[in-house]
């Protein structure tokens, strides 16, 4: 890992065996354009990952995260992802999508398949590889539900 790595904080938000994910904007130059991914974003200087994930979720979907639990850290050559999880305690229609192309509650089947239909895109879109891996790890770790 080098000093060029970007640190981000992302959240697995779940509700009745479904997981809230964002369909990223289909813009060239961003990571995973047009892919389903977890909500979250860059950690600002001086911010802890926990503070960052709460701020990002509030900015992106207007949801005030009551508390989060750290799940793990996933590192590749470009990004260090600090992953948290929390229950989503509001209905989807109470959230406001401020960033991204679409959002949805993905089922276990969607996550295993690695794709999900998007109403806004009008087509099935893939999950980002790293995001699918994180979700599968989380599902495996929480099989007791």
């Amino acid at each position: 890992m080098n000093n060029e790595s970007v640190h981000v904080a992302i959240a697995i938000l779940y509700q009745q065996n479904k997981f809230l994910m964002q369909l990223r904007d289909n813009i060239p130059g961003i990571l995973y354009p047009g892919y389903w991914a977890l909500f979250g974003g860059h950690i600002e200087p001086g911010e802890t990952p926990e503070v960052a994930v709460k701020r990002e979720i509030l900015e992106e979907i207007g949801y005030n995260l009551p508390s989060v639990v750290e799940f793990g850290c996933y590192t590749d050559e470009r990004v260090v992802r600090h992953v948290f999880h929390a229950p989503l305690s509001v209905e989807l229609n109470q959230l406001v999508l401020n960033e991204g192309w679409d959002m949805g509650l993905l089922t276990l089947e969607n996550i295993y398949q690695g794709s999900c239909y998007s109403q806004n895109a009008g087509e099935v879109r893939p999950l980002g590889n790293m995001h699918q891996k994180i979700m599968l790890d989380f599902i495996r770790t929480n099989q007791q539900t």
Side-chain angles (χ1 to χ4, degrees):
M1 192 176 74
N2 56 36
N3 292 338
E4 307 302 305
S5 292
V6 174
H7 283 257
V8 298
I10 55 180
I12 299 168
L13 299 174
Y14 50 85
Q15 185 175 85
Q16 296 159 342
N17 269 339
K18 291 185 178 172
F19 302 89
L20 184 68
M21 295 190 85
Q22 171 196 50
L23 185 61
R24 292 176 59 82
D25 287 313
N26 208 4
I27 304 170
I30 66 169
L31 266 180
Y32 295 122
Y35 282 73
W36 289 102
L38 294 164
F39 281 99
H42 291 86
I43 300 171
E44 302 291 337
E47 245 182 355
T48 65
E50 189 172 334
V51 168
V53 77
K54 290 180 173 187
R55 176 186 51 75
E56 284 287 343
I57 298 299
L58 189 58
E59 286 175 9
E60 292 183 356
I61 54 174
Y63 182 56
N64 214 335
L65 270 176
S67 64
V68 291
V69 177
E70 197 161 348
F71 177 63
C73 198
Y74 289 75
T75 304
D76 62 25
E77 57 284 346
R78 289 184 293 186
V79 185
V80 178
R81 294 175 181 86
H82 300 267
V83 184
F84 296 87
H85 67 90
L88 179 66
S89 58
V90 299
E91 295 302 313
L92 197 57
N93 63 13
Q94 292 178 264
L95 300 173
V96 180
L97 184 65
N98 296 315
E99 193 175 298
W101 193 2
D102 200 356
M103 67 176 161
L105 286 168
L106 276 64
T107 63
L108 291 171
E109 188 183 11
N110 295 146
I111 290 158
Y112 286 122
Q113 281 176 346
S115 63
C116 182
Y117 180 78
S118 160
Q119 200 70 49
N120 291 2
E123 62 185 6
V124 171
R125 303 296 308 183
L127 266 72
N129 291 346
M130 181 61 85
H131 294 263
Q132 183 185 26
K133 178 188 177 354
I134 292 167
M135 295 301 299
L136 291 172
D137 287 354
F138 180 77
I139 291 162
R140 266 196 299 277
T141 307
N142 293 279
Q143 285 292 316
Q144 68 271 19
T145 52

